[in-house]
Amino acid sequence: MTKSPPSLQDLRREIDSIDEQVHGLLMQRGDIIDRLISVKKTQEVGSAFRPAREADMMRRLVQRHRGILPLDTVESIWRVIIATFTYVQAPFSVHADLSSGESAMRDSARFHFGFTVPFIAHFNAEAAVEAVAKSKGDLALIAAAGSRSPWWLALESANAPKIIARLPFVERADHPAALPVFVVSRVAEDAMVTEVEMWSIRVSGWNAGVARALSPFSEIIAVPDTTSDGAALLISVPGSEGRDKITASLVAAGASVRSSALVGSHATRYTVPQSKA
């Protein structure tokens, strides 16, 4: 005998059951986080931010995702879950530099951190970084594109906050929060992910030819010194030998390095396979 298809009521009961299970699992996750807070207080492991663990979680999320639910939606849900549970462990605020445009920066902040985490607007990157430096666990969102001032110089000292992530981490066409941003904060050293190093380098002899010499293996933000031929550079380069490659390329192109400092690191951005895009 042919089995009759389920009725709308049957399917809606299934959906209600799944919704209840999802809510129950989120509450279970909350119970575990509550126990984790107690353990952290006794072990004093530091900040709740874990960039390396978060990057691994997001890679696995994309790799296992299937079906009609858009990847944009599932990534946003997971981002809000991660950010909110981090917030309940150790409350923090997001300080956003709006100098590159308010709408795109707000989209990035809300997509990645939701509405529970407080959003504090600043009119330049320096103010956002300064606010994080004065805080215990806040973070700043700074546009990872052309900058009018070398805000990263404030990250050079040993006790300064550092660049800990580059968003969006999951790269794909038409990302709903596509503005490239750096995340600046303080995290435990063992929580950092060092696949891409971020170097602050000050040079003399900066010109278009030097920039072309670096472009094959690095991303560069350059703020020229208008009173000389120098520039302040923020350079992203893969691998632990990044500074040696940068220095050799600069010297070969005719520039000289005045100073260099490691100002952070982040995970290699994950490109969504075409089959999942």
Side-chain angles (χ1 to χ4, degrees), residues 157-239:
S157 66
N159 61 347
K162 304 297 179 189
I163 296 168
I164 65 167
R166 197 275 199 187
L167 302 174
F169 171 66
V170 180
E171 291 279 355
R172 58 187 178 276
D174 301 321
H175 195 292
L179 179 70
V181 299
F182 290 123
V183 182
V184 176
S185 188
R186 302 180 192 273
V187 299
E189 188 175 343
D190 64 352
M192 292 286 284
V193 54
T194 58
E195 294 166 356
V196 177
E197 292 183 341
M198 301 296 305
W199 286 90
S200 171
I201 296 184
R202 301 182 219 194
V203 301
S204 298
W206 178 253
N207 55 50
V210 178
R212 285 193 295 270
L214 293 177
S215 60
F217 63 89
S218 63
E219 294 181 353
I220 310 163
I221 301 176
V223 177
D225 185 342
T226 56
T227 63
S228 70
D229 67 344
L233 312 179
L234 179 63
I235 300 181
S236 309
V237 60

Side-chain angles (χ1 to χ4, degrees), residues 93-97 118-122 127-128 131-132 135 138-142:
S93 296
V94 171
H95 298 267
D97 165 30
F119 178 93
I120 302 174
H122 297 271
V132 168
S135 75
D138 290 357
L139 56 81
L141 300 184
I142 312 294

